[in-house]
Amino acid sequence: MRKKNQTTFEGSRVDPIIDKYNAEQGSLISILQDIQAEYRYLPREALEHVARRLNIPVVQAFGVATFFRAFTLEPRGRQLIHVCMGTACHVRGSQNVLEEVERKLEIKAGGTTPDGEYTLETVNCVGACALGPVVIRNEEYLSHMTPTKVSGLLKKV
Amino acid sequence: MSEKNRSRGEMVTFMLNGARVQADPGSSLLEAIRFYGLDIPTLCYDEGLTPYGACRLCVVEVGSGKREKLVASCVHPVREGLEVRTHSNRVLKTRKMILELLIARCPGSKKLQDMASELELKEIKFRPLNDDCILCGLCVRMCEEQMAARAIGFAGRGRDRYITTPFDMTSEECRKCGACMYICPACELRCQGTGAETVLCSGCINTEPVCASRYDDAMCFMVPCLSCVRTPEDVK
Ligand code: SF4
Ligand code: SF4
Ligand code: FES
Ligand code: FES
C-alpha cells in the first residue's frame, strides 16, 4: 500500500536533466538514462516528477522503466559486476566464477551488498567470447576470469 | 475518428470477397467490412477507442498472387482497388490458431469460450497458462481515452508483460469507475454449465447456432439449450 504520496521530490538534480531535453515527450528514454546515470537507479519520485513535467501518465514512465533491462527501480551498488553466462563463457567455467563472486560478496546474482558497494548481475554474452569467461566491472572488461582471479578483484565486504 | 470527418466526399472502391464495394477513405478495413454486414471476430477493438491491433483475431487476406498477405483489419486502411478476402481458408485457419493461443492463455474467459464455439474450435493444442489477461490493452485505452484517468498501463516486456498501476501500487489517479473491468474480455468467468474440466468449455462445442441471441437470459450456445424451452427442432 502506498503511503499517501506527500513526499515533495526535491527535483533539483532531475530538473536540469529534463530541461536539457526541453521536457520533450520523445526524449523520455534519454532523460531516464541520464537520471539513472545520476542516481544509479530510477527513484520512484524521480519517475513521477518526470511524468508530471513531460505531461505523460506516470504509468507510461513506469512501463518504459520496466521494459528495458538497463533501467532499474532498485538502488544499485556503487560498483556493478556483470558475469557473462553466455554459452562460450559457460563452457569455459563462468559458473564457477559466478559462484565465487556470490560467495565472496555474500549475495546472489541480481542482489546488492548491504553496504551498497556491489551489485551483481549476469548477462548472456557480451560479444567477447574469445576472452571468456568475461566479467565486467563498471564497464571494464576483464578477460579469462577464474575464481581465484575474480576473488582478488573484489574488496572483502 | 478525426480522420473520418476529414474524409467526407470521395469514396474509395475496393473488392470485398469478389464484390465491388465502396467505403469512406478514412475508415479501416474492419469498419468497411462490418458496414457490409460481414462478421469479423475481434477482441481488442472497440468503436469508442483507438484501434490497437493487438489480438490479431480480425485478420483478413489482402492483395493477390505474390503480394497476398494477412493483415489485421482493424488497423489497416481501405485503399482504392484493394482485394480483400474475409473468409478464405487461410484466414479461417489463422483465426482459429490465434483464438487457440488466446484460449490457452486465458481458458477462464467466457467471451473467448463463446467465440471458440462460434468458430467451431474443437481442441486446444497448447498447454493452458491460466492467465487472466490477454494483453489486449482495452482497459488501458478505456481508462485513458474515455475516463481520462490514465491510471493503468503496460509494464515489463515479452512474456513478462502485464497490466498494472504505476509501481504496482494503488493508484491515486484511479477513480474506481470500473470501466476497465467492464470492457475486459478476459476477466469474465466462463460458463460453468457443464462443469467442464477441460480447457475448452466442452458443452458448447458441438453446436448449431441457437436461439441465444433472441433470449435475453440465455447463457450460452448449448444444444439443446438448457436455459430456454426451445429444442433444436424449433430453432430450425
Ligand atoms: S477503475 Fe480506475 S483503472 Fe479502471 S478505468 Fe476507471 S480509473 Fe481507470
Ligand atoms: S486486463 Fe482485460 S482489458 Fe486489460 S489488457 Fe488484459 S484482457 Fe485486455
Ligand atoms: S559468451 Fe561470454 S562473451 Fe560471449
Ligand atoms: S481487433 Fe484487430 S487486432 Fe484485435
Side-chain angles (χ1 to χ4, degrees):
Chain A
M1 277 289 134
R2 168 183 219 161
K3 353 170 197 36
K4 272 287 170 210
N5 180 29
Q6 301 301 350
T7 43
T8 42
F9 181 64
E10 171 265 315
S12 56
R13 278 155 85 193
V14 169
D15 276 321
I17 295 175
I18 302 177
D19 292 335
K20 190 168 109 200
Y21 296 97
N22 299 322
E24 270 174 36
Q25 295 186 349
S27 305
L28 177 62
I29 293 179
S30 314
I31 293 173
L32 294 188
Q33 275 173 332
D34 286 9
I35 296 176
Q36 164 111 7
E38 181 76 29
Y39 290 84
R40 282 181 280 118
Y41 78 110
L42 297 173
R44 190 180 94 209
E45 290 78 8
L47 278 182
E48 284 168 348
H49 189 70
V50 169
R52 210 161 31 239
R53 288 224 29 213
L54 266 56
N55 192 22
I56 56 171
V58 180
V59 72
Q60 187 180 332
F62 179 70
V64 170
T66 53
F67 186 89
F68 296 103
R69 262 195 83 183
F71 294 131
T72 161
L73 296 167
E74 301 291 327
R76 269 183 176 161
R78 279 175 286 281
Q79 306 211 43
L80 198 52
I81 309 286
H82 277 119
V83 180
C84 179
M85 299 302 278
T87 317
C89 291
H90 182 85
V91 296
R92 291 168 186 228
S94 61
Q95 189 63 42
N96 296 338
V97 174
L98 177 66
E99 276 165 19
E100 177 59 27
V101 181
E102 288 182 338
R103 201 162 31 240
K104 182 98 191 220
L105 297 180
E106 293 173 11
I107 49 172
K108 288 278 161 213
T112 302
T113 52
D115 63 351
E117 184 63 25
Y118 291 105
T119 291
L120 174 62
E121 280 174 8
T122 59
V123 285
N124 294 320
C125 191
V126 292
C129 306
L131 303 177
V134 177
V135 170
I136 306 148
R137 183 183 58 183
N138 309 323
E139 310 193 351
E140 176 194 356
Y141 285 63
L142 307 165
S143 57
H144 304 298
M145 280 294 128
T146 61
T148 357
K149 267 196 194 169
V150 84
S151 163
L153 292 167
L154 305 167
K155 278 190 270 168
K156 180 83 194 113
V157 283
Chain B
M1 289 277 148
S2 57
E3 265 185 32
K4 242 194 240 167
N5 298 336
R6 156 162 67 71
S7 54
R8 281 286 119 82
E10 303 260 312
M11 301 287 270
V12 286
T13 305
F14 71 102
M15 301 296 288
L16 180 55
N17 295 336
R20 177 183 301 274
V21 296
Q22 291 194 313
D24 232 4
S27 57
S28 68
L29 267 184
L30 180 69
E31 288 169 322
I33 294 167
R34 284 200 168 159
F35 177 80
Y36 287 100
L38 291 180
D39 192 24
I40 307 278
T42 59
L43 273 172
C44 71
Y45 176 82
D46 187 276
E47 274 176 20
L49 303 172
T50 321
Y52 187 57
C55 73
R56 312 314 275 188
L57 258 190
C58 64
V59 284
V60 296
E61 201 174 27
V62 299
S64 55
K66 277 223 172 88
R67 319 243 338 243
E68 186 179 285
K69 59 174 180 181
L70 294 173
V71 299
S73 61
C74 67
V75 286
H76 199 88
V78 282
R79 259 191 247 112
E80 186 67 36
L82 196 67
E83 278 183 41
V84 183
R85 286 168 302 280
T86 57
H87 287 76
S88 68
N89 281 339
R90 187 174 170 209
V91 170
L92 293 180
K93 244 175 101 180
T94 313
R95 212 175 268 159
K96 275 191 180 181
M97 176 63 81
I98 293 170
L99 187 60
E100 227 182 281
L101 285 161
L102 290 171
I103 291 197
R105 190 181 164 102
C106 279
S109 153
K110 169 157 165 58
K111 185 136 184 186
L112 292 180
Q113 295 284 350
D114 281 357
M115 209 170 257
S117 77
E118 275 176 87
L119 294 191
E120 295 176 8
L121 212 58
K122 297 269 156 65
E123 63 169 333
I124 304 293
K125 293 186 283 293
F126 306 99
R127 191 168 45 85
L129 267 185
N130 297 318
D131 206 320
D132 48 16
C133 171
I134 55 168
L135 299 175
C136 70
L138 276 174
C139 53
V140 177
R141 282 171 286 150
M142 185 66 155
C143 186
E144 171 161 2
E145 296 172 19
Q146 297 290 348
M147 301 304 147
R150 311 201 294 185
I152 47 176
F154 290 97
R157 73 159 144 184
R159 47 174 301 183
D160 297 324
R161 201 162 153 83
Y162 66 108
I163 300 281
T164 187
T165 51
F167 310 101
D168 305 328
M169 291 187 254
T170 312
S171 160
E172 278 158 28
E173 277 95 35
C174 172
R175 34 181 108 105
K176 320 248 179 324
C177 65
C180 48
M181 285 193 273
Y182 166 78
I183 203 161
C184 177
C187 58
E188 224 179 341
L189 226 52
R190 76 166 163 188
C191 173
Q192 307 281 329
T194 52
E197 299 279 305
T198 52
V199 173
L200 271 183
C201 192
S202 48
C204 319
I205 301 177
N206 306 305
T207 57
E208 305 159 40
V210 283
C211 44
S213 53
R214 272 174 281 145
Y215 280 77
D216 285 348
D217 51 356
M219 284 300 289
C220 68
F221 289 87
M222 291 207 284
V223 174
C225 183
L226 297 182
S227 37
C228 68
V229 287
R230 296 175 129 205
T231 64
E233 283 65 42
D234 295 334
V235 179
K236 275 179 198 142

